Amino acid sequence: MVSSPLAPSSQRQQVSRPAAPDPQLALAVADDSFLRSLLTDSLPAIAHPHEIGSVTVEVGVPLPNSALGRMDAVLTFEHINCVLAGSYPDAPPLPDLHNHREYQAITPCHSDLSTLAQNVSLTEAEALLARSGFNSDEVQHILNLPSQGWHKSWWYSLTAEGFLTVPFQRHIRSRCYADGTCTLQFKDHYAQQRPEGFRSQPQKLPVVVHSPHVSFCDNLAHVNLSRQSLSTPQAILIADDLTELEVEGYIRQNVSLYRQRSLEYLLNANCRSCSQVKCPLQGVDSSPVLACRSFRPVDVGM
């Protein structure tokens, strides 16, 4: 948060609104909510909110061939592909199975044994299981199982559209050793299609800032170079004031568009019209704050 004690409200109202910040700078200082909005509020969206775990960003990443320039930013996010039943308030509950036949109907297939973590410290194992949605009692139960014991839990896979599928049962076991390390293994019992991975997979995609002074083809060529360097079919283009034909062209080329105008809210602030009710300066006319990463205007619209 940046403040200026030399800007009383009477003078500040006469000052014109600062120019929109440089998008790369806005990316570099963006908070977690903004990084997530790049994924959820672009058109078309990259992922649904409940499919996103942790998110990080790197700015000014060189392309493999330095002569070709650099990527404006690389966004790395944890793409969640299955959720533990009942692991958070909005998560689906445990499946309601009344008899053994119903259980057999949704668990006729089983996967091979897979290793989730090998020879990691107990602290790492606890953190991994906690991130997956297990509570502290369940974590300790898994880590203290007897040699032939399994922890059984119900999970739901997510489709490509973000919808929940038929539940599956996951069996987890642990092997703890005298040197203080631990190995975690699991296998799944499911109806037809095997769940992907354990819980999530890291994904990288480029974020490109639109250059209005070059042609559509040159902008798209830069997007394609960035995608090629990360071996991903997806990309986000931060742009504004595109023609309808350009919008359609980018979307047809599998480029997700994010309005550059949204970046203004990252740095330019007005406490009087901010919707952050938890902030003590919210609604204060005489606030000295000129720039704030948590600023959210009341009437923000895309």
Side-chain angles (χ1 to χ4, degrees):
M1 185 177 291
V2 181
S3 63
S4 171
L6 303 179
S9 60
S10 59
Q11 294 179 0
R12 201 174 77 179
Q13 293 174 359
Q14 299 173 4
V15 178
S16 59
R17 187 178 182 84
D22 178 80
Q24 293 176 354
L25 176 60
L27 283 166
V29 302
D31 57 13
D32 185 70
S33 62
F34 171 69
L35 297 182
R36 292 173 186 275
S37 74
L38 286 174
L39 298 167
T40 60
D41 298 339
S42 54
L43 181 68
I46 300 295
H48 298 88
H50 61 273
E51 296 178 281
I52 303 171
S54 60
V55 186
T56 59
V57 66
E58 298 176 85
V59 176
V61 179
L63 287 164
N65 184 344
S66 58
L68 297 176
R70 53 175 172 70
M71 290 177 280
D72 294 308
V74 174
L75 200 62
T76 303
F77 72 102
E78 181 186 13
H79 193 183
I80 297 171
N81 48 49
C82 58
V83 294
L84 175 63
S87 58
Y88 58 94
D90 295 332
L94 295 172
D96 185 15
L97 302 177
H98 299 289
N99 54 54
H100 186 65
R101 182 173 297 178
E102 287 181 301
Y103 171 84
Q104 287 184 318
I106 60 176
T107 58
C109 305
H110 67 84
S111 65
D112 295 330
L113 186 66
S114 300
T115 298
L116 174 62
Q118 186 167 7
N119 297 112
V120 299
S121 68
L122 285 176
T123 300
E124 291 178 275
E126 289 174 350
L128 175 60
L129 293 171
R131 286 198 305 270
S132 302
F134 293 106
N135 61 41
S136 57
D137 290 339
E138 291 169 331
V139 170
Q140 293 306 313
H141 178 255
I142 293 171
L143 295 178
N144 291 281
L145 286 168
S147 59
Q148 301 301 316
W150 293 87
H151 180 274
K152 300 178 182 180
S153 54
W154 286 101
W155 295 66
Y156 292 83
S157 291
L158 296 173
T159 66
E161 295 77 24
F163 299 111
L164 296 170
T165 61
V166 176
F168 66 93
Q169 191 175 62
R170 174 161 286 164
H171 296 190
I172 304 176
R173 74 179 185 184
S174 61
R175 293 289 185 268
C176 296
Y177 308 109
D179 62 357
T181 62
C182 176
T183 293
L184 298 173
Q185 296 175 311
F186 71 97
K187 59 182 179 180
D188 295 328
H189 294 253
Y190 51 94
Q192 290 181 333
Q193 187 172 356
R194 180 181 179 179
E196 295 184 16
F198 182 76
R199 176 178 180 266
S200 61
Q201 295 174 321
Q203 288 195 15
K204 290 188 175 184
L205 70 158
V207 180
V208 178
V209 179
H210 180 261
S211 298
H213 306 300
V214 301
S215 67
F216 171 86
C217 288
D218 287 340
N219 273 302
L220 186 58
H222 184 53
V223 171
N224 289 336
L225 281 173
S226 300
R227 289 195 285 200
Q228 185 178 3
S229 69
L230 296 177
S231 300
T232 178
Q234 296 177 309
I236 296 175
L237 180 67
I238 297 177
D240 211 354
D241 300 327
L242 297 175
T243 66
E244 291 186 13
L245 194 58
E246 286 176 319
V247 169
E248 183 177 359
Y250 283 121
I251 292 177
R252 285 183 178 271
Q253 293 299 312
N254 201 29
V255 178
S256 295
L257 301 177
Y258 190 88
R259 290 191 66 180
Q260 181 171 334
R261 202 169 280 144
S262 304
L263 298 174
E264 296 179 16
Y265 303 132
L266 287 176
L267 297 182
N268 302 328
N270 186 339
C271 295
R272 181 164 45 86
S273 59
C274 181
S275 61
Q276 294 284 9
V277 294
K278 293 184 179 180
C279 176
L281 294 177
Q282 190 263 343
V284 177
D285 287 338
S286 58
S287 169
V289 175
L290 296 178
C292 177
R293 285 189 296 168
S294 297
F295 174 56
R296 294 293 181 269
V298 175
D299 57 346
V300 62
M302 288 295 294

